[in-house]
């Protein structure tokens, strides 16, 4: 048990202290606003306030955790051991920066509440973030800051031992299009065939005919391959199915299709499954679509759906998460960037969403991911070998802090499409390395 003193235990302070100590460092924490009680206590303790008492572990508090409005704070950056940190403290603080305020700002995505610009598909762009601007996007800084705090506590209280944390690997697959050709409606074949004809893409029409005649496998039908890769590790895998109504950015097969329903049911027998809320479910006034799509999946698998990931990673604060909570989602896996690999919330540990507008922690657990197939190839333009190295570096960063590495892949990028040549090997490399590091 660890004791924290503060003149006021605000909802923000309680939230971030519990995240750092209970979720990351696996240690119980308690609070007091009574200075006499704090001074007498024999527990390992931290004074998080505006006044130091004696020789206790002291961190001069930032105003951020006592603020009740969403504004850009004064970051007060400082250099420490060759690295850049935010929210500079005082010379008598045990650390030259405030790890509680810095972690709170990054994890709650306060900067995303305040950003008025909109990127492609109205998404927040990684280059606007404080971590990207300071070359820290590929570091799990919140976990690193937690470890720095743990080191100082151990120095002060040598008999106090933090539990050892182990690296975990988690794989997730988004099914935006279950099949490229088969099991699609006749009108879709006619429309795409005519379009290919007009554009002179005769090879695509030949491939379509070969697949329909069953002389060639559908390029997106990679499910047997996935079963082979995940054999014995099924509990580490999640599948997210897109079941929205057909539209420009939601082109999966109808939820009524018998083959798709069969695929989902077979997948559910082996793996955890979740809903992939459609592109248009995130538009203003379309919250009802989340409920409709979630209900479709629940009827197919015969049980409650509690997991989700937004299609196109469309995420708006706090709207998206409030909608998910309203419709019974307990875990979300959207926290990551489309255009860059790394740590969008600066953390590689699942955490609860804190609603800044309501100033309270919620029941929605966020599972951040660090890498996506499309990011590596299309957004960052990396070769398969460069992708392997990027993944290796990220995994080792997560390994150092005993966090969870989560990857996002798609069934369609694992086929035999020339555009994705070499990325099946990247996928296999990532899975092998993840399992190896987990078992070390």
């Amino acid at each position: 048990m660890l004791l924290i003193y503060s003149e006021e235990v605000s909802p923000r302070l309680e939230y971030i202290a519990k995240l750092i100590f209970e979720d990351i460092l696996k240690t119980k924490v308690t609070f007091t606003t009574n200075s006499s009680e704090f001074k007498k206590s024999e527990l390992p303790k931290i004074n998080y306030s505006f006044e130091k008492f004696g020789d206790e572990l002291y961190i001069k508090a930032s105003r951020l955790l006592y603020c009740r409005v969403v504004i850009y704070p004064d970051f007060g950056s400082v250099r420490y051991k060759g690295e850049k940190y935010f929210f500079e403290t005082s010379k008598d603080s045990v650390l030259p920066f405030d790890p509680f305020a810095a972690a709170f700002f990054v994890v709650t995505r306060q900067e995303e509440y305040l950003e008025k610009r909109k990127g492609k598909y109205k998404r927040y762009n990684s280059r606007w973030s404080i971590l990207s601007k300071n070359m820290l996007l590929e570091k799990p800084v919140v976990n690193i800051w937690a470890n720095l705090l743990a080191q100082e506590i151990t120095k002060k209280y040598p008999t106090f031992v933090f539990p050892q944390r182990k690296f975990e690997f988690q794989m997730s697959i988004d099914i935006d299009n279950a099949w490229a050709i088969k099991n699609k409606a006749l009108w879709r074949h006619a429309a795409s065939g005519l379009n290919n004809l007009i554009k002179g893409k005769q090879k695509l029409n030949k491939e379509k005919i070969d697949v329909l005649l069953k002389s060639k496998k559908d390029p997106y039908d990679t499910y047997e391959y996935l079963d082979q890769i995940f054999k014995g590790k099924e509990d580490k895998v999640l599948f997210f199915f897109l079941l929205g109504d057909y539209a420009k950015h939601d082109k999966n097969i109808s939820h009524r299709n018998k083959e798709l329903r069969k695929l989902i049911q077979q997948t559910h027998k082996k793996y955890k499954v979740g809903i992939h809320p459609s592109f248009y479910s995130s538009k203003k006034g379309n919250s009802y679509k989340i409920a409709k799509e979630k209900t479709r999946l629940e009827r197919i698998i015969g049980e409650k759906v509690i997991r989700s990931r937004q299609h196109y990673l469309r995420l708006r604060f706090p709207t998206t998460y409030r909608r998910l909570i309203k419709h019974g989602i307990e875990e979300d896996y959207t926290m990551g960037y489309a255009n860059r690999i790394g740590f969008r919330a600066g953390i590689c540990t699942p955490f609860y969403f804190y609603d800044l507008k309501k100033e309270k922690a919620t029941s929605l657990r966020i599972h951040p991911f660090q890498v996506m197939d499309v990011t590596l190839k299309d957004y960052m333009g990396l070769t398969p070998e460069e992708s392997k190295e990027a993944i290796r570096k990220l995994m080792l960063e997560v390994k150092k802090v005993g966090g969870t590495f989560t990857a996002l892949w798609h069934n369609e990028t694992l086929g035999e499409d020339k555009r994705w040549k070499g990325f099946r090997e990247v996928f296999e490399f990532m899975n092998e390395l993840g399992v190896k590091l987990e078992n070390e």
Side-chain angles (χ1 to χ4, degrees):
M1 179 75 77
L2 185 79
L3 177 65
I4 295 178
Y5 166 77
S6 183
E7 288 99 337
E8 177 193 350
V9 181
S10 67
R12 293 185 177 194
L13 174 57
E14 183 177 10
Y15 167 79
I16 202 61
K18 285 185 175 180
L19 171 59
I20 288 174
F21 290 109
E22 297 187 357
D23 293 341
I24 297 178
L25 298 175
K26 307 300 180 185
T27 297
K28 288 291 182 182
V29 65
T30 188
F31 305 87
T32 182
T33 57
N34 187 315
S35 59
S36 296
E37 178 186 318
F38 176 80
K39 291 172 185 176
K40 291 176 184 176
S41 176
E42 295 183 359
L43 287 172
K45 53 192 179 183
I46 295 174
N47 174 4
Y48 184 76
S49 69
F50 303 101
E51 179 186 359
K52 188 173 183 179
F53 301 137
D55 66 345
E56 80 279 7
L57 285 176
Y58 173 63
I59 296 174
K60 185 177 181 181
S62 164
R63 296 286 180 187
L64 178 68
L65 297 190
Y66 303 100
C67 187
R68 288 177 173 80
V69 292
V70 184
I71 57 173
Y72 273 111
D74 179 7
F75 296 112
S77 62
V78 61
R79 284 278 173 183
Y80 177 60
K81 294 184 178 180
E83 297 290 343
K84 192 170 185 178
Y85 297 90
F86 312 107
F87 295 92
E88 185 176 9
T89 51
S90 57
K91 289 183 179 179
D92 55 356
S93 290
V94 69
L95 292 169
F97 76 105
D98 182 345
F100 297 116
F104 183 84
F105 181 79
V106 174
V107 164
T108 60
R109 307 308 303 130
Q110 187 164 339
E111 58 190 352
E112 296 196 38
Y113 282 79
L114 298 165
E115 182 58 60
K116 301 301 180 185
R117 291 171 292 179
K118 294 285 186 273
K120 190 175 184 181
Y121 305 120
K122 295 187 176 181
R123 295 182 302 213
Y124 180 83
N125 194 297
S126 66
R127 69 175 181 270
W128 301 329
S129 75
I130 187 174
L131 297 182
S132 179
K133 290 173 182 176
N134 288 281
M135 308 297 286
L136 291 170
L137 194 57
E138 294 181 24
K139 296 274 187 180
V141 291
V142 174
N143 298 75
I144 293 170
W145 299 336
N147 283 351
L148 286 175
L149 202 49
Q151 289 167 16
E152 294 301 327
I153 293 168
T154 303
K155 282 182 194 175
K156 182 72 175 177
Y157 305 98
T159 59
F160 186 81
V161 179
F162 287 94
Q164 186 176 5
R165 289 156 288 136
K166 287 194 66 178
F167 170 90
E168 291 185 25
F169 175 65
Q170 184 172 253
M171 191 67 224
S172 61
I173 307 292
D174 283 358
I175 310 296
D176 300 343
N177 289 283
W179 297 283
I181 299 167
K182 69 179 188 179
N183 298 317
K184 289 190 174 179
L186 182 60
W187 69 266
R188 292 183 67 175
H189 288 309
S192 63
L194 180 60
N195 187 54
N196 291 336
L197 190 64
I198 293 171
K199 293 182 177 180
K201 297 179 179 180
Q202 302 300 341
K203 286 185 178 180
L204 292 180
N205 278 343
K206 184 181 183 307
E207 179 183 43
K208 184 187 290 290
I209 293 170
D210 289 343
V211 170
L212 293 174
L213 293 176
K214 299 183 179 180
S215 61
K216 186 177 181 179
K217 192 171 185 178
D218 188 291
Y220 292 1
D221 187 355
T222 55
Y223 306 108
E224 289 182 6
Y225 167 76
L226 287 168
D227 284 343
Q228 292 171 7
I229 295 295
F230 298 143
K231 189 174 182 180
K233 303 181 285 289
E234 289 85 357
D235 62 324
K236 296 288 184 181
V237 187
L238 302 100
F239 279 76
F240 294 95
F241 287 92
L242 175 65
L243 297 178
D245 297 324
Y246 184 86
K248 181 180 178 180
H249 298 296
D250 301 311
K251 295 185 177 180
N252 199 12
I253 293 165
S254 169
H255 65 97
R256 297 186 182 88
N257 183 281
K258 290 182 180 179
E259 291 302 315
L260 177 62
R261 296 172 76 90
K262 181 180 177 182
L263 172 67
I264 294 172
Q265 289 164 352
Q266 290 175 338
T267 303
H268 175 244
K269 287 178 182 178
K270 304 171 188 173
Y271 313 101
K272 294 185 284 286
V273 301
I275 192 64
H276 200 30
S278 64
F279 183 94
Y280 292 97
S281 72
S282 62
K283 291 191 71 175
K284 187 176 181 180
N286 281 2
S287 175
Y288 72 94
K289 286 183 176 288
I290 297 174
K292 185 166 73 170
E293 293 162 20
K294 177 173 173 282
T295 298
R296 287 171 178 173
L297 182 57
E298 289 172 339
R299 287 174 177 169
I300 292 171
I301 65 174
E303 68 178 48
K304 183 182 177 183
V305 170
I306 62 169
R307 302 176 185 89
S308 73
R309 177 186 283 131
Q310 295 295 115
H311 192 29
Y312 278 80
L313 304 179
R314 277 159 62 90
L315 187 56
R316 290 188 297 133
F317 287 90
T319 307
T320 303
Y321 285 153
R322 284 182 180 176
R323 287 178 171 185
L324 295 178
I325 293 169
K326 177 183 176 182
H327 296 301
I329 294 297
E330 298 173 16
E331 300 178 13
D332 185 68
Y333 293 76
T334 311
M335 184 59 72
Y337 289 120
N339 68 316
R340 279 286 304 276
I341 60 173
F343 305 88
R344 181 170 179 171
I347 189 170
C348 56
T349 299
F351 62 96
Y352 288 101
F353 165 57
Y354 187 92
D355 191 325
L356 282 170
K357 293 289 181 70
K358 293 183 177 180
E359 287 296 353
K360 69 174 186 178
T362 71
S363 60
L364 182 64
R365 198 154 176 81
I366 308 303
H367 294 257
F369 72 89
Q370 291 80 47
V371 63
M372 178 172 69
D373 48 8
V374 179
T375 306
L376 294 167
K377 185 185 180 301
D378 291 348
Y379 285 91
M380 297 180 68
L382 301 184
T383 65
E385 287 306 312
E386 290 170 337
S387 297
K388 290 178 186 178
E389 181 58 18
I391 289 169
R392 187 186 69 81
K393 286 181 178 178
L394 281 179
M395 272 199 185
L396 292 178
E397 288 290 344
V398 176
K399 172 77 171 178
K400 286 179 193 175
V401 297
T404 300
F405 184 92
T406 301
L408 191 176
W409 228 257
H410 295 79
N411 60 305
E412 58 198 76
T413 64
L414 293 168
E416 298 177 357
D417 190 333
K418 289 182 180 179
R419 194 171 85 80
W420 287 96
K421 185 178 180 181
F423 275 82
R424 180 179 276 204
E425 288 74 18
V426 175
F427 180 73
E428 292 173 0
F429 166 84
M430 177 176 60
N431 279 274
E432 289 168 7
L433 181 59
V435 172
K436 178 186 174 184
L437 294 178
E438 194 173 50
N439 292 330
E440 286 182 350

